[in-house]
Amino acid sequence: MTAGAVEPDEDTPAPPARPTVRVGAPTERRNPLSVDLDLMSTRDVLTVINEADRRVPAAVAAVLDEIATTVDLAVAALLGGHRVHYFGAGTSGRLGVLDAAELAPTFNSPRHWFCAHLAGGPDAMLRAVEDAEDDDRGGAVEAASCVRAGDLVVGLAASGRTPYVLGALGAARAKGASTVLVCANPEAEAARSVDVFIGVDTGPEVVTGSTRMKAGTAQKLVLNAFSTAVMVRLGRVYSNLMIDMVATNAKLRGRMISILVEATGCSEEISRQALTEADGDLKTALVSLVSGAEVEAARAALARSADQVRGALALLAT
């Protein structure tokens, strides 16, 4: 025993053993194509990873119907004055935070529309707070405190069994919210307890259990497709152009001009003038140029059509 060390008290009970769970999800199985990964050349390691990644888009394609159902639920919730929540832990939770954070600058969506909840809180964005994902009560308490009837709650869990996520989904369901689970385990038991189950079959990871790889890529693709489609359905895209973007830097201010030129066929000079007359409001300038109406008429038409460009153009065409 080293000097100064204190001998343990024989009467002091040992701390309780921390719980252990062996997960049987596909993401925890060994990938037979990468068993010699540490013996491969750098180029071969990258080839194995790349070939595995090619499976992900096809796996996502197989669940497009379920994603479409989720999009329709989200649109109905948002149009009804409700919100969309993401609940996740680890990589899954961080991807939810990323998706929610990108919607306001890309589509100028109200910040309260999409709310991301990460097990372990903000600190977990930068460092692992591993035990937080085992806290089903923590997920339930957080959901109960902020989810309302009519909201849509999307759980993100690579294995499909993360206690924090399942706790949140259970509490959300009790509140009267619609629930969705996105995971990389098509056979997850929790599929039976949600309104929509999106089980993406990405198979075993190149590095066993490292769900930041294929499972994470699949979740990123699902979330990108889901939230983008929601914004399209809500009229925040005209053709394939971002028309609700926030011009917070020189590049984005230039993009506004490019969007007007592309959408209307007008010159850059005319597009700049229209944007100036519309006080920098891209939608108003677009409706004015496409319809030929004065700026104030375009603004009024947008107000009457719930800020929908197609609707405003239809009003001005009558």
Side-chain angles (χ1 to χ4, degrees):
M1 202 167 185
T2 58
V6 178
E7 291 196 26
D9 186 343
E10 293 183 0
D11 295 329
T12 302
R18 299 175 73 181
T20 301
V21 174
R22 297 190 67 185
V23 178
T27 54
E28 297 296 320
R29 298 171 191 159
R30 292 187 73 187
N31 188 328
L33 301 179
S34 61
V35 291
D36 293 326
L37 194 68
D38 64 331
L39 302 176
M40 296 179 185
S41 68
T42 300
R43 186 65 167 75
D44 286 345
V45 168
L46 295 174
T47 297
V48 169
I49 293 172
N50 181 253
E51 288 178 350
D53 286 343
R54 294 181 187 182
R55 175 174 178 169
V56 178
V60 172
V63 295
L64 289 183
D65 287 343
E66 291 83 356
I67 298 173
T69 299
T70 306
V71 169
D72 292 341
L73 287 172
V75 170
L78 294 172
L79 288 177
H82 304 292
R83 299 190 291 178
V84 175
H85 299 264
Y86 293 148
F87 280 88
T91 296
S92 301
R94 295 182 191 104
L95 289 170
V97 172
L98 176 63
D99 192 72
E102 289 178 337
L103 296 178
T106 305
F107 299 104
N108 196 24
S109 62
R111 292 191 178 275
H112 67 272
W113 273 9
F114 281 72
C115 309
H117 309 270
L118 177 60
D123 288 347
M125 278 299 293
L126 300 178
R127 64 179 181 85
V129 185
E130 300 295 359
D131 285 342
E133 75 171 53
D134 295 328
D135 188 2
D136 56 343
R137 184 175 181 278
V141 169
E142 186 162 355
S145 70
C146 62
V147 174
R148 301 291 178 264
D151 287 354
L152 174 67
V153 175
V154 180
L156 305 167
S159 65
R161 58 151 306 274
T162 306
Y164 170 85
V165 174
L166 299 188
L169 289 170
R173 188 168 56 252
K175 283 278 190 174
S178 298
T179 56
V180 179
L181 176 61
V182 181
C183 72
N185 180 6
E187 299 176 358
E189 291 184 10
R192 298 189 294 270
S193 59
V194 292
D195 296 304
V196 184
F197 176 66
I198 303 175
V200 190
D201 187 9
T202 55
E205 299 288 3
V206 169
V207 175
T208 307
S210 181
T211 52
R212 59 181 286 271
M213 302 184 77
K214 284 190 298 180
T217 300
Q219 288 185 330
K220 182 71 166 74
L221 291 179
V222 169
L223 290 174
N224 268 0
F226 162 67
S227 58
T228 299
V230 169
M231 294 297 118
V232 172
R233 294 272 68 85
L234 290 173
R236 291 180 177 264
V237 172
Y238 176 76
S239 180
N240 61 350
L241 302 169
M242 292 185 291
I243 53 171
D244 256 308
M245 54 177 283
V246 181
T248 55
N249 58 42
K251 179 189 74 174
L252 295 180
R253 286 189 287 273
R255 183 179 292 168
M256 278 189 164
I257 302 300
S258 297
I259 287 171
L260 287 174
V261 171
E262 290 284 346
T264 68
C266 294
S267 67
E268 181 175 333
E269 180 181 357
I270 291 175
S271 297
R272 284 184 183 277
Q273 181 180 349
L275 191 60
T276 299
E277 292 176 355
D279 299 321
D281 188 289
L282 178 58
K283 279 187 172 180
T284 300
L286 176 60
V287 171
S288 176
L289 288 175
V290 172
S291 67
E294 296 294 329
V295 165
E296 288 309 313
R299 201 187 310 276
L302 281 166
R304 290 168 55 201
S305 62
D307 211 32
Q308 303 292 302
V309 168
R310 297 284 186 187
L313 291 173
L315 286 173
L316 292 169
T318 57

